[in-house]
Amino acid sequence: MKKVKAIFALLMISTGTFAQSGTTAEAGLFDDPVLLFYITAGFLFVVALLVIAVALYMLQVLRYMAKDAAIARAKKLGIEYVEEPGWWTKFNLWVSDSVPVEKEETIMLDHNYDGIRELDNHLPPWWKWLLYGSIVWAVFYLIAYHVTNSLPLQTEEYNNEVAYAEEQVRKLKAENPGVVIDENTVILTTDAIALQDGKETFNNICASCHRVDGGGDIGPNLTDQYWIHGGSIQDVFKVVKNGVPNTNMVSWGGALSPEKMQNVSSYLLTLQGSNPPNAKAPEGDMYVPPAKKEVDSDTVKAQASL
Ligand code: HEC
């Protein structure tokens, strides 16, 4: 009885029952209910395994005793003891439907190729059922996917998933108005997918005036460091969004989403310094990105100290 009490007390301490009632605010290791659940479940699992192991062992002992009794009885009656095949042997026979080695002669074919002879064994039932099953499945598949079109094929499945994902994005954007892209929040993105999207937009609608390589035609050269309206991502975005009144550069704010405008602005800035042939002469003022300015002033300082 003393022992039981001690174990119980130990359990109480380990589950934090005492820790909670104590004055210290320190959390016990076992306060977490999930952890406690796992420990209890693990403990029960181990107990169950032990019970099963003992039960199997007892069963085996019982079988040996029964076998001994059967042998003794057979001896008494003066007959030979024949052991029943085990469940595994029976299962194997059923699943392969093969003729036992002892009866092989019954299925031997007449062919004799230099001593190599052939058995005409049954096809294994599991294999046959697999074949029948796949035939039934093929019929079902054909009807469901190609006749009634009641289930989606891969392309449709893919489109459904894309549509679902786009819907989620729309919802997320609607719920988080803080992430709206405008001339103040626009960033110079380096994301490959975004830049690819920007490139497509540029080639489709901007290239007619700025050329595919950005060298400039009706619109100015976008590959040099000279800008009429400034060369920062914010400046470029603003021009794309609002256009330039009384010029051919119209406002794209209505036709392109803010994200698309961010993408195309970021893309066209990747053309900086690409120096395409027959580019239009520079227009406007030189714009040096902030990072480069620092390098330049450092270079100047370094040169001055020489
Ligand atoms: C119909 C011809 C035309 C199309 C199409 C066009 N632009 Fe322009 N773009 C111009 C002209 C003209 C200017 C010069 C405006 C000015 O004189 O200030 C310009 C100016 C710009 C500037 C400012 C350049 C600077 O030096 O400050 C940017 C950036 C620009 N365009 C980007 C785009 C983008 C991006 C697109 C496609 C979404 C586009 N443009 C489509 C004609 C066009």
Side-chain angles (χ1 to χ4, degrees), residues 162-214:
V162 170
Y164 175 76
E166 277 172 358
E167 181 60 36
Q168 296 292 98
V169 169
R170 242 194 317 277
K171 262 193 214 156
L172 207 70
K173 279 187 180 161
E175 285 165 14
N176 299 285
V179 295
V180 164
I181 301 168
D182 61 19
E183 45 272 47
N184 300 313
T185 59
V186 63
I187 54 157
L188 183 67
T189 177
T190 51
D191 179 67
I193 296 170
L195 288 179
Q196 182 58 34
D197 177 66
K199 184 178 183 175
E200 274 165 27
T201 308
F202 189 84
N203 291 354
N204 286 341
I205 56 181
C206 319
S208 53
C209 291
H210 293 280
R211 282 188 9 196
V212 170
D213 58 18

Side-chain angles (χ1 to χ4, degrees), residues 30-43:
F30 296 99
D31 276 356
D32 184 355
V34 180
L35 185 66
L36 196 64
F37 170 75
Y38 281 140
I39 291 173
T40 317
F43 180 71

Side-chain angles (χ1 to χ4, degrees), residues 201-202 205-210 218-222 224 226-231 235-237 239-240 243-250 252 256 261 264-265 268 280 283-284:
T201 308
F202 189 84
I205 56 181
C206 319
S208 53
C209 291
H210 293 280
I218 298 168
N221 184 345
L222 300 176
D224 58 17
Y226 291 84
W227 299 88
I228 307 170
H229 304 282
D235 295 331
V236 171
F237 184 91
V239 172
V240 176
V244 183
N246 304 321
T247 69
N248 281 324
M249 182 64 191
V250 297
W252 295 97
L256 297 174
M261 287 193 287
V264 76
S265 304
L268 73 82
K280 224 176 157 187
E283 290 167 73

